[in-house]
Amino acid sequence: MIRAPLTDAIVEVFDSLPSQLQDAARYLIDNPEDVALLSMREQARRAGLQPWTMVRLAKRLGFDGYEPLRSLYANAMRQGELGFAGKAGAQLARQSEVGDRALAGEMVRSLAEQVARLGEPERLDTLVAAAERLYAARRIFCLGLRSSHPVVAHFGYVLSFLGEKTVMLDGASGAGTDAIRLATSQDMLFVASVAPYTRLTVELARRAASGGVPVIALTDSAVSPLAGLAALSVLVATDSPSFFHTMTPAFVVGEILAALIAGKGGDKALAAIRRTEEQLSQLDIHILPPRGRRTS
């Protein structure tokens, strides 16, 4: 069973509660996901209680009302304290309450807001500073495992059009991350990971930083284990109505950084991109759409 934020406090006073408050307390302990996402009235309905009973319990536990209590559970879920299983339960409860279409709409709105916040002045300044440092590096070693892998893989692929500036560190073979030993202070490690942080990613980043390799971290918090190692951190949101954290803002950041780095290369970068396109054409890699075909 998932341990909810108030489990210990509830257990301590449980025997002293009136029977209806005990029923409400038992609901909180057994359904932390519902508490995090559902309205107080819906929770009361599912518990077979009156809404005022939930309010009375919240006040008995030291809260001014039920909303501060519910916010405590919501924050715990956002910070990962309920785990993937807990979030899955919350998603299922929410999806059951509002339906598939509404949940999809909530996800779209959430993602749109998170991406829009990347355009705030301070965040744009951070993106520009990160691109400048990455552009100045001799080589960029790219590290992102598990859910963060597509972020750095796409970043590295886009920059591969410029030549051999990027080096992918991929743990799939068991030896793919060994190339980090070649990195020096003239290079840069671009590393991505969000909570729950991948242990190997953090360990490799720590070794690189201790060896004098500058680190640019793409992560979710100023207290992330990567942020403390980095010369510069780009922070992204990961909250999602889904049980799984979103990687969309991180993916967008990767695309922006790759574009900025390429653009800073001027005519040299343009020549490299043309050369790459010619090579790919000779290898017959891509199937291009028919010329003149209109899309909608």
Side-chain angles (χ1 to χ4, degrees):
M1 181 185 298
I2 300 163
R3 289 188 63 79
L6 296 175
T7 296
D8 292 338
I10 292 172
V11 170
E12 185 176 345
V13 302
F14 187 83
D15 290 339
S16 66
L17 297 175
S19 60
Q20 284 191 324
L21 292 190
Q22 285 186 344
D23 290 342
R26 188 176 292 109
Y27 179 85
L28 261 67
I29 292 175
D30 294 343
N31 303 278
E33 313 88 22
D34 289 3
V35 178
L37 285 186
L38 301 183
S39 68
M40 182 263 290
R41 291 186 177 278
E42 177 61 20
Q43 293 174 45
R45 186 190 70 78
R46 295 190 178 200
L49 300 168
Q50 293 297 321
W52 59 264
T53 304
M54 311 301 286
V55 176
R56 282 181 58 202
L57 176 61
K59 292 184 176 181
R60 185 67 176 266
L61 294 172
F63 295 88
D64 293 335
Y66 197 77
E67 185 55 31
L69 181 150
R70 196 197 68 78
S71 294
L72 183 67
Y73 281 72
N75 288 335
M77 187 186 74
R78 283 194 293 268
Q79 295 169 12
E81 295 174 11
L82 298 184
F84 288 125
K87 292 179 183 178
Q91 179 197 323
L92 292 175
R94 181 64 177 164
Q95 194 167 344
S96 175
E97 179 185 13
V98 303
D100 294 357
R101 192 172 187 274
L103 181 64
E106 289 178 6
M107 292 187 68
V108 170
R109 287 190 293 274
S110 175
L111 291 172
E113 291 171 1
Q114 290 167 343
V115 172
R117 286 201 295 271
L118 294 174
E120 295 172 355
E122 185 176 349
R123 294 172 181 263
L124 290 176
D125 289 343
T126 301
L127 289 173
V128 169
E132 289 176 348
R133 296 195 185 195
L134 290 166
Y135 172 74
R138 180 182 60 175
R139 291 173 299 182
I140 304 172
F141 289 78
C142 304
L143 174 62
L145 304 177
R146 305 179 77 85
S147 64
S148 297
H149 179 70
V151 174
V152 297
H154 185 61
F155 171 84
Y157 175 68
V158 173
L159 288 185
S160 72
F161 278 70
L162 304 180
E164 300 179 352
K165 187 174 179 67
T166 55
V167 179
M168 280 299 304
L169 302 173
D170 194 331
S173 67
T177 59
D178 290 359
I180 191 62
R181 75 186 190 280
L182 304 175
T184 72
S185 59
Q186 299 179 52
D187 302 313
M188 186 77 70
L189 173 63
F190 177 60
V191 58
S193 188
V194 301
Y197 310 100
T198 303
R199 187 179 302 277
L200 179 58
T201 298
V202 176
E203 291 176 352
L204 289 171
R206 184 176 292 117
R207 292 175 193 170
S210 65
V213 181
V215 175
I216 297 291
L218 176 52
T219 189
D220 60 340
S221 171
V223 295
S224 154
L226 292 178
L229 304 171
L232 179 65
S233 296
V234 181
L235 304 184
V236 292
T238 59
D239 296 349
S240 175
S242 166
F243 78 96
F244 203 84
H245 53 263
T246 180
M247 296 303 299
T248 300
F251 198 90
V252 171
V253 165
E255 287 200 336
I256 293 172
L257 290 177
L260 293 178
I261 294 167
K264 294 174 78 64
D267 291 339
K268 184 177 179 181
L270 181 58
I273 293 170
R274 285 174 174 164
R275 185 164 54 250
T276 299
E277 275 196 310
E278 291 172 1
Q279 292 168 343
L280 293 176
S281 177
Q282 292 170 4
L283 294 171
D284 200 23
I285 297 295
H286 296 138
I287 298 177
L288 299 178
R291 289 185 178 182
R293 190 181 74 177
R294 302 180 65 179
T295 59
S296 59

